Amino acid sequence: MSLQLLTPEFFQPPPDQVAQRLLGKLLVRKPENPEDETAIGRIVETEAYFGADDAAAHAYSGQTPRNAVLFGPPGMAYVYLIYGLHYCLNISCEPEGKAGCVLLRAVEPVAGLSTMARRRGLQPGVSPRLLASGPGRLCQAMAITRRQHNGISVTHAASVLTVMEDEYRVQDIAATPRIGIRKAADRLLRFTLAGNSFVSA
DNA sequence: CCAAAGATCTACT
DNA sequence: GTAGATCTTTGGG
């Protein structure tokens, strides 16, 4: 089986395109200490956020210290803290200067399940749906924080966090409204692998 | 300086 | 189904 890194060019298009193309790809988190396994999850749920013209986006009212990564080159991790408790992982899209991004909302665990469970504070044998279905859960399972990961590349082989492609073939993609937002709530910018049971509630 | 909101999750009724 | 946790960032006075 062959695994291939995605390139910065993959993330160059507008976020609605990238969000759909990311479905079925693998999020790979390297170990950070000897007792960790490599954690791998297949992306099953994403949301697209534009910059200008999207009132729900962090970049909507222009560049700030928090969202600066979004205005940089494509293929970079944008990590922020939400509700004082949970991290969310996005990947920047579009050329430098344009601030689109894709929020990773859920992965189907495919490797390193016990490491994910430990990070989540759960027993090793729990239902794998509890591991990384939901953006906050995903970051906890992959041990992703703003301090360590905001601004890092996901397209470089040496990175602790990468997105890779295998032979998996996507069938149907469903488009629905985005979750948990109040502004621009009617746009169909949430994408899922249709019928996949690891999509968040 | 202060107030309020926020791309969530868990526990409990 | 609803509430509470918890804190950074942002915008207004």
Side-chain angles (χ1 to χ4, degrees), chain A residues 142-199:
Chain A
M142 295 284 186
I144 293 165
T145 63
R146 173 169 171 90
R147 281 288 291 280
Q148 297 180 86
H149 304 295
N150 188 53
I152 70 170
S153 166
V154 301
T155 63
H156 193 285
S159 180
V160 295
L161 194 63
T162 52
V163 182
M164 309 200 68
E165 180 168 42
D166 64 1
E167 287 95 16
Y168 182 86
R169 290 293 167 243
V170 170
Q171 304 211 327
D172 292 317
I173 293 176
T176 67
R178 294 174 291 186
I179 303 288
I181 58 169
R182 312 180 75 93
K183 292 168 275 189
D186 53 326
R187 301 180 72 173
L188 302 181
L189 293 175
R190 170 176 175 258
F191 303 100
T192 59
L193 288 183
N196 186 286
S197 59
F198 291 85
V199 169

Side-chain angles (χ1 to χ4, degrees), chain A residues 78-189:
Chain A
Y78 168 54
V79 183
Y80 68 91
L81 183 67
I82 188 64
Y83 297 116
L85 295 167
H86 309 288
Y87 291 102
C88 291
L89 170 65
N90 304 254
I91 304 176
S92 63
C93 299
E94 301 191 292
E96 191 152 359
K98 283 195 105 183
C101 67
V102 174
L103 171 67
L104 301 189
R105 288 193 55 92
V107 299
E108 174 175 349
V110 304
L113 299 245
S114 60
T115 293
M116 294 191 210
R118 176 168 47 72
R119 288 173 176 150
R120 293 264 301 121
L122 302 170
Q123 294 304 117
V126 287
S127 163
R129 284 190 221 205
L130 293 176
L131 295 177
S133 294
R137 290 170 166 184
L138 184 158
C139 283
Q140 192 178 20
M142 295 284 186
I144 293 165
T145 63
R146 173 169 171 90
R147 281 288 291 280
Q148 297 180 86
H149 304 295
N150 188 53
I152 70 170
S153 166
V154 301
T155 63
H156 193 285
S159 180
V160 295
L161 194 63
T162 52
V163 182
M164 309 200 68
E165 180 168 42
D166 64 1
E167 287 95 16
Y168 182 86
R169 290 293 167 243
V170 170
Q171 304 211 327
D172 292 317
I173 293 176
T176 67
R178 294 174 291 186
I179 303 288
I181 58 169
R182 312 180 75 93
K183 292 168 275 189
D186 53 326
R187 301 180 72 173
L188 302 181
L189 293 175

Side-chain angles (χ1 to χ4, degrees), chain A residues 24-46:
Chain A
K25 302 295 189 283
L26 296 171
L27 181 66
V28 180
R29 168 59 155 118
K30 290 184 182 146
E32 53 184 1
N33 67 61
E35 69 212 26
D36 290 342
E37 313 156 275
T38 295
I40 304 179
R42 193 173 304 283
I43 298 168
V44 301
E45 177 180 355
T46 60

